[in-house]
Amino acid sequence: IHSLPVAFYTCDTEGTILLYNTAAAELWGQSPEIGKDKWCGSFKIFNIDGSPVELENCPMAIAIKENKKIDGEEFIIQQPNGRTRNVIVYPSPTHNSAGYLTGAANVIVDITEKRAIEALYHKANKLARLGSWEFDLKLNTLYWSEITKEIHEVPADFEPNIDMALHFYKEGKSRDTITKVVTEAMQYGNNWDVELEIV
């Protein structure tokens, strides 16, 4: 456990911290007291919109109180020195051989650098007047950047879906080409560089 590269800790059914590894203490910026401190070792927790989350309502607390697994929610934690980290958490209830709840274990993944790179990427695209879009296969959602919406002359709150987006390409060669390259990218991970006409 202590050699894991990601933060890991456990709590009992009352939320008392029983165990944590070195990566967790480094991520929290402090070391909670085993058998005394509860729910989480973070100094403060925030939702991604900046609203505070009380420790007794943190993901670990919800996993224990409701006896349910929480899979991959993002939060912001603040260390005692004021530094913040973006994290994704995976608290999961633990049970004994009879099936009774014994507490929960939580894995916390630090994605601060990933979020910083994404922010830099979007800023660079905006400065260079480059449009971009992202399609999430798991959620079946399409995201258009601000510049992409300007190129297509749609409102800032416009929310396209993948079928709707195809109609922005000129019918015929352009629409056939984008359909082909996107399909191949989803199936085979292919990259592409094509010139298309939009309407």
Side-chain angles (χ1 to χ4, degrees):
I1 290 172
H2 288 287
S3 65
L4 287 173
V6 294
F8 175 87
Y9 75 104
T10 65
C11 291
D12 63 18
T13 55
E14 300 300 315
T16 306
I17 297 175
L18 302 176
L19 170 84
Y20 60 88
N21 66 0
T22 304
E26 291 174 354
L27 182 61
W28 294 327
Q30 61 182 6
S31 299
E33 188 174 337
I34 296 289
K36 180 180 179 182
D37 289 331
K38 299 184 74 172
W39 304 121
C40 180
S42 298
F43 178 62
K44 290 182 181 178
I45 307 173
F46 301 91
N47 291 304
I48 55 173
D49 64 5
S51 58
V53 177
E54 297 298 328
L55 280 180
E56 58 268 19
N57 294 320
C58 74
M60 184 63 130
I62 300 302
I64 293 171
K65 292 175 182 179
E66 299 184 14
N67 194 16
K68 71 174 186 180
K69 183 179 180 181
I70 297 175
D71 197 13
E73 290 189 12
E74 183 175 347
F75 293 88
I76 298 169
I77 63 171
Q78 183 179 342
Q79 299 174 340
N81 62 8
R83 290 181 62 203
T84 58
R85 310 297 293 174
N86 289 71
V87 299
I88 295 180
V89 298
Y90 298 86
S92 181
T94 54
H95 304 87
N96 62 19
S97 58
Y100 292 106
L101 180 71
T102 57
N106 194 357
V107 173
I108 312 170
V109 181
D110 187 348
I111 60 165
T112 306
E113 290 182 12
K114 179 176 184 284
R115 288 290 177 257
I117 290 169
E118 288 173 354
L120 186 62
Y121 169 78
H122 290 302
K123 185 176 181 180
N125 278 351
K126 189 172 182 178
L127 289 171
R129 301 289 300 162
L130 297 174
S132 64
W133 57 267
E134 299 171 23
F135 181 54
D136 189 315
L137 292 172
K138 186 176 180 181
L139 300 176
N140 197 36
T141 56
L142 179 64
Y143 165 81
W144 276 6
S145 71
E146 180 182 329
I147 302 302
T148 300
K149 291 179 181 180
E150 288 180 16
I151 290 170
H152 289 299
E153 299 180 346
V154 296
D157 61 354
F158 180 75
E159 296 183 4
N161 59 48
I162 194 69
D163 295 323
M164 183 191 305
L166 290 175
H167 292 286
F168 284 87
Y169 295 94
K170 190 171 182 179
E171 195 168 3
K173 183 180 178 182
S174 287
R175 194 176 298 177
D176 293 344
T177 299
I178 192 66
T179 301
K180 179 177 183 290
V181 295
V182 170
T183 300
E184 289 180 353
M186 291 190 294
Q187 290 179 340
Y188 310 114
N190 293 355
N191 296 320
W192 74 84
D193 181 0
V194 293
E195 186 175 320
L196 306 164
E197 289 184 273
I198 61 171
V199 294

